[in-house]
Amino acid sequence: MADASVYLGFAVRSGKIVYGIDNIERCRKRIYALVLCRTASGNLADKAKRFAERRDLPLVVTEEPLEDIIYKSNCKIIALLDGNLAKAVTEVIGR
């Protein structure tokens, strides 16, 4: 089975991703999961937690820095817009 970086790479290449908490809060498309970097600030983590609870979304925290996985500097949170990719990422990171 592949690791989460493969699935997140697929999401980046297919354009099924939203970067940053401000863009996520403004997004009008269906969001299936949130991926938070383990190095995110406490304020961002609280905002992400509240957003995920309001929308009943899974919130997963990566083991390695998110910016290293998706090759986007200073990226601490992303939203996945594809249901199958979100399911795969939450299963892989959740175990």
Side-chain angles (χ1 to χ4, degrees):
M1 177 164 287
D3 62 345
S5 62
V6 173
Y7 295 122
L8 292 175
F10 288 149
V12 169
R13 284 189 295 280
S14 65
K16 301 290 184 177
I17 202 166
V18 178
Y19 303 97
I21 192 68
D22 293 333
N23 292 330
I24 291 170
E25 289 174 340
R26 285 192 301 253
C27 182
R28 296 295 176 206
K29 295 180 181 178
R30 172 100 194 265
I31 296 173
Y32 291 92
L34 297 177
V35 180
L36 182 68
C37 183
R38 67 174 171 79
T39 62
S41 68
N43 186 28
L44 176 61
D46 291 341
K47 273 185 167 182
K49 229 178 268 182
R50 282 194 309 268
F51 185 83
E53 287 172 0
R54 274 193 316 243
R55 299 267 183 109
D56 194 30
L57 298 172
L59 174 66
V60 293
V61 180
T62 61
E63 306 239 342
E64 57 187 272
L66 187 60
E67 54 196 20
D68 293 344
I69 297 172
I70 60 172
Y71 303 109
K72 186 159 178 84
S73 64
N74 204 24
C75 183
K76 301 296 181 188
I77 187 168
I78 59 172
L80 297 173
L81 304 177
D82 184 86
N84 293 326
L85 288 173
K87 182 179 175 189
V89 168
T90 55
E91 287 175 356
V92 169
I93 294 178
R95 57 178 159 103

